[in-house]
Amino acid sequence: MNLTDLLKNKSLWVKQETLKLHKRAPGTRIASSLSCIEILVVLYYGKILSCDPKNIQWDTRDRFIVSKAHGSVSLYPILADFGFFEKEELKKISKEGAILGDIPDNSIPGFETINGSLGHGLGVACGVALALKRKNLNAKVFVLSGDGELYEGSVWEAIMFASHHKLDNLTLIIDNNKICMLDYCKNILNLEPLDDKFRSFGWMTKIVDGHDIEQLYHALADLKKDESNQPKVLIADTIKGKGVPRLENDSLCHIKALKEDEIDKIIMELT
Amino acid sequence: MRNVQSEVKVMRDALIERLFDKMQENEKIFLISADFGAPALDKLRENFKDRFINVGIAEQNLVNISAGLALEGFIVYAYAIAPFITMRAYEQIRVNLSLLSHTREINVNLIGVGGGLSYDVAGPTHHCIEDISIMRVLPNLMVCSPSDWALTEKFVDFSINVNKPKYIRLDGKQLPRIYHDPEEFNIENGFHELVQGKDVCLVSTGYMTHKALHVANKLRENNINIGVIDVFLLKPFNEDLIYNLLEKYEHIITLEEAFINKGGLDSMISCVLSNKASHIKLKRLGFGDKYVFDIGSRDYFHKLNNIDEEYIIKVIENASNNISRRTWNKSKRTYKKRNSKAYASR
């Protein structure tokens, strides 16, 4: 099987597993967790991230900071598949005594930081990226953030810091699903043109279709190799609630939960 | 007694000078500033260009960058004005220091310069009378409040070796030395009895410890011997240890440049007394539920808010009078009891 097919198969599997997790834990943010599945699959199964579940704190691992923690329940099946924790844990999600909750935190093996509150990931990642440079380690730092959290002022403090300190070992991936909790971002405070904003702050920018495995893979592989003295941002255009017709492009999909029998039907119809 | 006036110093200078020495021997130490300086800082940033970083006027990022560096094993001093580092960046402190250190060892030292009313005439945005309460609330975070520059130096040595997030509250003014031999006690005990007294004891922190000592010296001239306990570690603290000391007094007066009845030093002592079901009387001196908009000196603010020396002495005298009245009543009761017993036995 070639890499593209493998990544497509894995994406389908992660989608199914994420929906099953939502069935067990209806409080999970399903729409946000569906928009970043291909990004997560390419990072892990495409081996963009170097990680070792047997040695989680391995010094030269790539650091992956999930700033949009609420929308990363889809990372649970991947981490379980890689062996960061037992697959049985997926069945216990949000039950008493479980390690997995509705929103991931740093007590779960595989999560570097705690990010239930938005707008923190990039700043901490800048500190980590600077530290890696001072330690002369070749490891890279990847951050996954939503577009809505760019409203937090602290993110822009970090954006300025990253370019001033030439953190070219840092890549920010924006899951640009264009919807916040109550509405489309363009109706709240328009964030576009995002790439121009980043470019004017001294960042290297790239835009891809965030559901296109091949585009994502090539962009991330290129960005990881690049040493142009600039931090990089990959703006991945995505659809919030991808794969579930009644969520896709519903401006209120962030807060919508799916019903149990509905989930079984959606899983059967996934392609 | 030594002439202490010749040994005045600003705490932040003592901290930076000590850090300078430590940075020479330990390559893991970083100093990050939110565009806040000190004369002593100029030499440091010149010598350690790689390990001094100015993040700009951006306290939230100051804390986040510090957390990131500390996750990678560096020892970080995050340096800013006290009200801004604690309150502008409070959620960053909660999430990326307090919560994160539940699972990861991170040595971040938040250096807040200008605790209490150090920035007297700068006005209420620069006063910092909330910090003790709000920082004490956060789990995993240590709260340090040295009262002089010698203790500040000791806190530098201590903080390098303790892999936890800490808030170190420094006064902004030049102050005389209190501790001449800080090696003689364990800093982790959290407090030191500077003056042993009888009946009444002042328990203070930071700048107010200087006031407490002054009051104690004044009263000694009139043959009133009160105790003074300086609390420099507000979290964690050893309840049993401090109670052993408090127990010998009848009346405790807490003294701080901070809000009272809201979780500060007063609340900490009140909790100890309550947990021990103690009958020791407690009087809290500090700021009530309002900000200080007046312009003037620190002493002037103290007068307006009833924490000036004159008022403290009045409170002590009241306490002493109550104690002697109680003692008299008690002896009267004992006398009556004895007499009634004597009568019964007849």
Side-chain angles (χ1 to χ4, degrees):
Chain A
M1 197 192 292
N2 69 26
L3 184 62
T4 308
D5 290 338
L6 172 95
L7 296 178
K8 278 185 181 161
N9 286 347
K10 286 292 181 189
S11 297
L12 180 64
W13 175 76
V14 173
K15 223 168 270 178
Q16 291 163 343
E17 289 300 311
T18 304
L19 283 158
K20 285 184 203 163
L21 287 169
H22 180 60
K23 190 171 158 184
R24 288 174 210 132
T28 49
R29 278 64 164 178
I30 187 64
S32 306
S33 297
L34 287 171
S35 62
C36 58
I37 285 180
E38 287 84 358
I39 298 169
L40 297 172
V41 164
V42 169
L43 282 171
Y44 281 85
Y45 296 101
K47 297 191 171 64
I48 300 288
L49 286 179
S50 320
C51 60
D52 181 3
K54 300 274 171 298
N55 185 5
I56 292 180
Q57 295 295 319
W58 170 45
D59 218 20
T60 48
R61 75 191 182 282
D62 291 328
R63 276 67 166 169
F64 181 41
I65 290 175
V66 189
S67 199
K68 52 164 285 183
H70 67 282
S72 68
V73 169
S74 37
L75 188 51
Y76 287 164
I78 299 175
L79 291 177
D81 195 26
F82 269 68
F84 280 91
F85 48 79
E86 296 292 320
K87 281 195 173 141
E88 279 304 299
E89 291 295 337
L90 297 174
K91 296 191 177 132
K92 297 188 226 158
I93 182 172
S94 299
K95 304 274 182 295
E96 211 170 281
I99 64 162
L100 306 178
D102 281 4
I103 298 177
D105 63 54
N106 53 319
S107 68
I108 302 168
F111 283 89
E112 297 268 356
T113 54
I114 177 157
N115 295 93
S117 171
L118 293 172
H120 290 290
L122 189 61
V124 175
C126 285
V128 172
L130 185 72
L132 293 177
K133 282 190 170 282
R134 293 288 191 274
K135 292 202 278 189
N136 288 318
L137 288 176
N138 195 30
K140 310 287 182 195
V141 184
F142 290 87
V143 181
L144 176 66
S145 98
D147 51 340
E149 69 177 289
L150 296 175
Y151 288 130
E152 294 282 3
S154 56
V155 178
W156 296 92
E157 293 179 7
I159 289 170
M160 284 187 276
F161 183 92
S163 56
H164 184 89
H165 289 276
K166 302 185 169 58
L167 300 178
D168 55 6
N169 54 351
L170 173 72
T171 299
L172 168 66
I173 306 165
I174 299 176
D175 176 6
N176 192 25
N177 63 31
K178 302 172 200 72
I179 296 175
C180 261
M181 191 189 275
L182 292 185
D183 205 346
Y184 281 90
C185 293
K186 66 179 180 197
N187 298 333
I188 302 169
L189 294 172
N190 192 13
L191 288 161
E192 297 294 345
L194 253 188
D195 57 330
D196 284 353
K197 286 192 173 71
F198 274 93
R199 254 198 303 277
S200 70
F201 275 80
W203 285 57
M204 174 190 274
T205 66
K206 220 168 213 188
I207 302 178
V208 290
D209 174 346
H211 299 300
D212 184 314
I213 292 287
E214 288 185 344
Q215 279 189 37
L216 277 170
Y217 179 79
H218 291 300
L220 284 169
D222 288 351
L223 289 176
K224 192 176 178 182
K225 272 184 274 173
D226 186 89
E227 286 175 354
S228 60
N229 268 341
Q230 281 180 298
K232 299 127 195 171
V233 58
L234 180 70
I235 300 169
D237 285 325
T238 56
I239 295 167
K240 197 155 174 169
K242 174 74 176 170
V244 180
R246 104 164 158 92
L247 295 180
E248 282 188 17
N249 296 320
D250 173 349
S251 66
L252 287 173
C253 66
H254 184 92
I255 38 179
K256 290 203 171 148
L258 302 169
K259 294 185 187 71
E260 270 193 60
D261 50 348
E262 189 185 6
I263 294 172
D264 295 332
K265 195 165 163 272
I266 295 164
I267 291 176
M268 293 220 312
E269 287 167 3
L270 280 177
T271 49
Chain B
M1 206 173 175
R2 289 182 216 217
N3 177 11
V4 290
Q5 289 310 316
S6 58
E7 294 183 86
V8 294
K9 210 180 224 183
V10 185
M11 288 181 193
R12 59 153 199 237
D13 290 336
L15 176 120
I16 290 166
E17 282 161 16
R18 188 67 158 197
L19 264 183
F20 184 90
D21 295 341
K22 294 289 170 188
M23 282 172 86
Q24 269 174 325
E25 61 195 50
N26 187 339
E27 293 194 342
K28 286 168 92 183
I29 303 173
F30 270 75
L31 178 60
I32 321 279
S33 164
D35 198 38
F36 181 60
L41 193 63
D42 296 339
K43 188 175 92 172
L44 187 145
R45 54 187 184 146
E46 194 51 46
N47 276 265
F48 302 104
K49 288 198 167 105
D50 260 17
R51 289 185 283 141
F52 170 81
I53 295 165
N54 185 350
V55 297
I57 308 164
E59 287 79 10
Q60 300 174 69
N61 206 34
L62 171 76
V63 174
N64 286 354
I65 297 290
S66 302
L69 284 164
L71 276 174
E72 294 297 328
F74 289 107
I75 300 162
V76 188
Y77 289 80
Y79 181 74
I81 300 180
F84 309 145
I85 196 169
T86 52
M87 287 175 263
R88 170 61 71 101
Y90 193 65
E91 210 231 356
Q92 279 73 22
I93 295 170
R94 174 177 179 259
V95 173
N96 296 319
L97 299 182
S98 180
L99 280 165
L100 189 55
S101 60
H102 181 78
T103 55
R104 299 284 300 269
E105 272 197 349
I106 40 178
N107 191 347
V108 173
N109 303 283
L110 304 168
I111 310 299
V113 178
L117 300 178
S118 304
Y119 291 115
D120 39 18
V121 284
T125 55
H126 284 59
H127 298 163
C128 192
I129 44 184
E130 302 91 339
D131 58 340
I132 297 180
S133 315
I134 63 172
M135 301 312 269
R136 272 189 70 229
V137 169
L138 298 172
N140 304 322
L141 189 91
M142 297 178 90
V143 180
C144 318
S145 171
S147 53
D148 80 344
W149 59 268
L151 203 52
T152 305
E153 283 185 347
K154 196 169 159 146
F155 267 113
V156 173
D157 302 354
F158 170 78
S159 58
I160 288 172
N161 297 315
V162 178
N163 282 332
K164 281 180 174 212
K166 304 165 213 85
Y167 170 55
I168 304 178
R169 179 197 216 229
L170 301 184
D171 199 80
K173 293 268 197 264
Q174 211 172 44
L175 291 171
R177 181 174 192 165
I178 292 175
Y179 291 96
H180 290 274
D181 196 4
E183 298 308 315
E184 72 188 18
F185 59 89
N186 181 0
I187 200 169
E188 284 177 90
N189 287 352
F191 58 88
H192 190 66
E193 189 178 35
L194 289 166
V195 181
Q196 292 190 17
K198 200 176 156 292
D199 298 338
V200 181
C201 183
L202 284 173
V203 179
S204 57
T205 190
Y207 177 76
M208 292 315 282
T209 295
H210 294 264
K211 293 284 167 192
L213 285 172
H214 206 241
V215 165
N217 285 340
K218 238 181 185 173
L219 289 172
R220 196 176 305 124
E221 290 165 13
N222 302 331
N223 285 324
I224 303 171
N225 294 309
I226 61 157
V228 175
I229 298 174
D230 178 33
V231 180
F232 42 75
L233 194 57
L234 288 138
K235 190 172 171 287
F237 73 96
N238 187 325
E239 195 171 298
D240 294 334
L241 213 54
I242 199 162
Y243 188 67
N244 285 343
L245 204 51
L246 297 177
E247 218 178 6
K248 64 180 184 190
Y249 294 100
E250 298 217 20
H251 210 113
I252 303 291
I253 300 161
T254 60
L255 191 55
E256 61 202 300
E257 263 192 348
F259 285 131
I260 52 168
N261 299 315
K262 292 182 179 183
L265 171 69
D266 65 319
S267 310
M268 172 183 143
I269 298 297
S270 160
C271 274
V272 174
L273 298 181
S274 156
N275 290 344
K276 299 287 181 188
S278 164
H279 293 295
I280 300 171
K281 295 270 181 296
L282 174 69
K283 171 80 180 167
R284 309 153 191 243
L285 297 181
F287 289 85
D289 190 32
K290 67 173 195 308
Y291 282 112
V292 180
F293 275 83
D294 308 274
I295 310 290
S297 69
R298 224 163 165 175
D299 283 342
Y300 176 64
F301 297 152
H302 288 182
K303 215 169 193 58
L304 293 178
N305 290 278
N306 284 339
I307 54 168
D308 58 307
E309 287 185 19
E310 212 176 301
Y311 188 82
I312 299 167
I313 289 173
K314 214 190 293 170
V315 171
I316 294 169
E317 282 170 352
N318 274 343
S320 303
N321 287 340
N322 284 339
I323 291 164
S324 44
R325 205 174 307 133
R326 270 206 306 279
T327 319
W328 190 75
N329 284 341
K330 209 164 132 193
S331 53
K332 220 161 58 179
R333 272 203 303 277
T334 326
Y335 173 79
K336 265 191 183 168
K337 222 171 170 183
R338 207 183 295 137
N339 271 2
S340 59
K341 255 188 198 166
Y343 186 77
S345 67
R346 249 191 244 167

